[in-house]
């Protein structure tokens, strides 16, 4: 068993070296490029894609590997890096379109001079997970535990997570759910890492209900959880979450299991507003190629995993169970009406950015001005014609 655990940990660390997560780190990143050339009658020129090195961004890798962007008349190049670096690239005119997690989604909603516009949602992620240590306050918990049991275990607990990335959004939402119906004096609360604020502001900050957050890069979560001074819980995403649960660490909460669909904040595809203004037909062509990629990934996730692994030089397979991977038909249905599920997801992304530590509600643009539903619908219709 000891050798098995060592092998699993080795696999986890190896996967982390190969897979770039949805991280806010703005330091140096590994950048690679792949290219697909145009072959259709229409030639919309080149598009520079920013892709994160994980399966979340697989539709971009599939579109290049399978020639879907080529079919639509685009010469596509990709750079593999982090979400914040993609935002920087979109702002600085070194990238045109990029795949983003929720951690940097507030850039969509700036009322003035927003650097990006939302093209479409991508996967309905269930990847962020609350996992307990084997010896801490949550060791007896499981996904079947009640919210009251999780609420009790978190009182006075320590939680390791990368707060400025998607685990922070997940944990904030989890605290909101667990505090439902609780008086201010009995509400869970925490000090926001790297800030002076506490969350939620409604809590009376009763000492015994404080949760201590330990700011930890996702790549360091495994080492933290297996150490002799492990925190009571961590919030993490794949491949770390997969490795930890395989090693027997209790899985306590997921987005869909504990928070529900109304708290879900899908990953998205962003376009530089500068590129959009200069190349509207190229953006529409990209959307058509992307929807073809969505269909392959939905119907054949193994092939999508292979294309993604090849692009990332990753000698392994991805856990494709971490999200629902919608087809073009799903996407068309989500955005068919102004009050449909697609726009509800966009509103949920917007709402997740409203807090004392990010942006106040009055500083955010409406969901209706940051995405064009008709472009999405047209792309989904065109590839079925």
């Amino acid at each position: 068993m000891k050798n098995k655990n060592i092998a699993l940990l080795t696999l986890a660390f190896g996967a982390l070296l190969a897979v770039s997560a949805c991280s806010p780190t703005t330091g140096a990143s590994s950048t690679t490029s792949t290219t697909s050339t145009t072959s259709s009658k229409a030639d919309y020129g080149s598009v520079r894609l920013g892709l994160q090195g994980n399966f979340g961004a697989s539709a971009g890798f599939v579109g290049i590997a399978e020639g879907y962007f080529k079919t639509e008349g685009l010469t596509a190049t990709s750079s593999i890096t982090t979400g914040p670096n993609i935002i920087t690239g979109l702002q600085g005119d070194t990238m045109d379109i990029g795949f983003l997690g929720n951690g940097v989604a507030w850039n969509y909603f700036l009322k003035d001079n927003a650097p990006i516009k939302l093209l479409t949602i991508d996967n309905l992620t269930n990847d962020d997970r609350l996992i307990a240590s084997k010896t801490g306050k949550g060791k007896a918990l499981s996904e079947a535990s009640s919210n009251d049991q999780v609420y009790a275990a978190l009182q006075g607990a320590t939680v390791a997570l990368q707060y400025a990335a998607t685990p922070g959004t997940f944990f904030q939402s989890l605290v909101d759910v667990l505090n439902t119906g609780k008086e201010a004096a009995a509400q869970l609360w925490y000090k926001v890492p790297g800030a002076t604020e506490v969350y939620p502001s409604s809590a009376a900050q009763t000492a015994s209900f404080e949760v201590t957050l330990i700011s930890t890069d996702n790549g360091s979560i495994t080492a933290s959880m297996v150490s002799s001074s492990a925190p009571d819980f961590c919030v993490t995403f794949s491949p770390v979450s997969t490795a930890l649960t395989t090693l027997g660490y209790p899985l306590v909460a997921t987005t869909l299991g504990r928070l529900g669909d109304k708290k879900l904040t899908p990953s998205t595809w962003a376009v530089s507003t500068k590129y959009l203004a200069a190349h509207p037909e190229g953006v529409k062509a990209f959307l058509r190629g992307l929807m073809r990629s969505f269909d392959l990934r939905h119907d054949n996730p193994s092939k999508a995993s292979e294309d993604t692994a090849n692009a990332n030089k990753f000698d392994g397979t991805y856990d494709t169970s971490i999200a629902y991977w919608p087809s073009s038909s799903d996407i068309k249905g989500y955005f068919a009406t102004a009050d449909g599920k697609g726009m509800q997801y966009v509103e949920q992304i917007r709402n997740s950015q409203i807090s004392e530590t990010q942006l106040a509600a009055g500083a955010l643009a409406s969901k209706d001005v940051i995405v064009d539903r008709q472009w999405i619908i047209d792309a989904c219709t065109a590839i079925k014609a």
Side-chain angles (χ1 to χ4, degrees):
M1 179 63 70
K2 183 175 181 180
N3 289 337
K4 179 181 179 182
N5 288 352
I6 291 173
L8 284 165
L9 287 173
T10 301
L11 175 62
F13 286 123
L16 285 167
L17 291 174
V19 180
S20 171
C22 303
S23 165
T25 304
T26 56
S29 63
S30 172
T31 301
T32 61
S33 294
T34 53
T35 304
S36 68
T37 57
T38 60
S39 66
S40 66
K41 292 181 180 179
D43 185 351
Y44 298 112
S46 62
V47 60
R48 300 165 297 179
L49 306 182
L51 304 177
Q52 297 181 41
N54 53 47
F55 193 73
S58 55
F61 297 116
V62 168
I64 293 174
E66 302 299 324
Y68 296 146
F69 300 133
K70 173 182 176 180
T71 297
E72 296 300 335
L74 283 171
T75 299
T77 60
S78 70
S79 296
I80 303 174
T81 184
T82 65
N85 286 345
I86 292 172
I87 282 290
T88 300
L90 294 170
Q91 290 174 319
D93 197 29
T94 59
M95 295 180 187
D96 303 314
I97 293 174
F99 172 84
L100 298 176
N102 195 49
V104 291
W106 58 270
N107 288 271
Y108 287 122
F109 300 99
L110 296 175
K111 282 189 173 180
D112 299 310
N113 302 316
I116 57 175
K117 187 166 183 175
L118 194 155
L119 279 179
T120 182
I121 62 172
D122 190 290
N123 61 84
L124 309 183
T125 180
N126 196 35
D127 198 10
D128 293 305
R129 294 162 186 225
L130 180 72
I131 295 174
S133 75
K134 295 180 179 180
T135 57
K137 292 171 65 66
K139 63 183 180 182
L141 297 177
S142 70
E143 285 189 278
S145 300
S146 69
N147 281 354
D148 284 342
Q149 289 172 315
V150 178
Y151 163 80
L154 280 171
Q155 295 171 30
T158 53
V159 180
L161 79 172
Q162 191 168 350
Y163 188 79
T166 53
T169 304
F170 170 86
F171 191 71
Q172 178 180 307
S173 297
L174 179 63
V175 167
D176 289 342
V177 168
L178 298 179
N179 279 341
T180 301
K182 303 292 193 298
E183 295 182 357
Q187 288 184 4
L188 298 171
W189 63 280
Y190 57 84
K191 297 173 184 175
V192 176
T196 58
E197 293 87 359
V198 301
Y199 188 87
S201 58
S202 60
Q205 299 179 37
T206 306
S208 59
F209 289 87
E210 181 180 5
V211 182
T212 300
L213 302 189
I214 304 170
S215 186
T216 310
D217 184 82
N218 197 65
S220 301
I221 290 288
T222 302
S224 176
M225 291 297 284
V226 301
S227 72
S228 58
S229 56
D232 296 303
F233 297 90
C234 69
V235 179
T236 186
F237 47 85
S238 64
V240 176
S241 55
T242 303
L244 289 175
T245 53
T246 301
L247 289 169
Y249 286 79
L251 175 60
V252 178
T254 65
T255 298
L256 295 180
R258 191 71 62 175
L259 306 184
D261 188 62
K262 291 185 178 180
K263 288 287 186 179
L264 194 149
T265 53
S267 301
T268 57
W269 286 88
V271 60
S272 157
T273 49
K274 181 177 179 179
Y275 181 80
L276 175 62
H279 304 281
E281 294 306 316
V283 174
K284 293 177 182 179
F286 172 81
L287 272 172
R288 293 192 296 270
L290 189 70
M291 291 305 145
R292 295 183 191 279
S293 300
F294 278 16
D295 283 343
L296 181 140
R297 184 178 61 186
H298 176 272
D299 297 339
N300 192 350
S302 296
K303 178 58 178 171
S305 178
E306 178 185 334
D307 287 345
T308 304
N310 288 341
N312 284 278
K313 299 179 173 59
F314 175 49
D315 186 19
T317 57
Y318 296 101
D319 181 2
T320 60
S321 68
I322 60 175
Y324 177 70
W325 311 99
S327 66
S328 63
S329 296
D330 289 328
I331 295 292
K332 183 178 180 180
Y334 294 162
F335 286 96
T337 61
D339 59 352
K341 183 172 284 190
M343 295 306 289
Q344 290 175 21
Y345 286 142
V346 175
E347 179 72 3
Q348 286 164 206
I349 295 171
R350 180 185 183 276
N351 290 344
S352 73
Q353 305 302 316
I354 301 174
S355 75
E356 292 182 33
T357 59
Q358 297 182 58
L359 295 174
L364 292 176
S366 164
K367 70 179 187 302
D368 300 306
V369 302
I370 60 98
V371 64
D372 192 321
R373 288 190 307 110
Q374 194 59 52
W375 282 27
I376 298 171
I377 294 168
D378 289 348
C380 295
T381 301
I383 68 168
K384 299 295 187 182

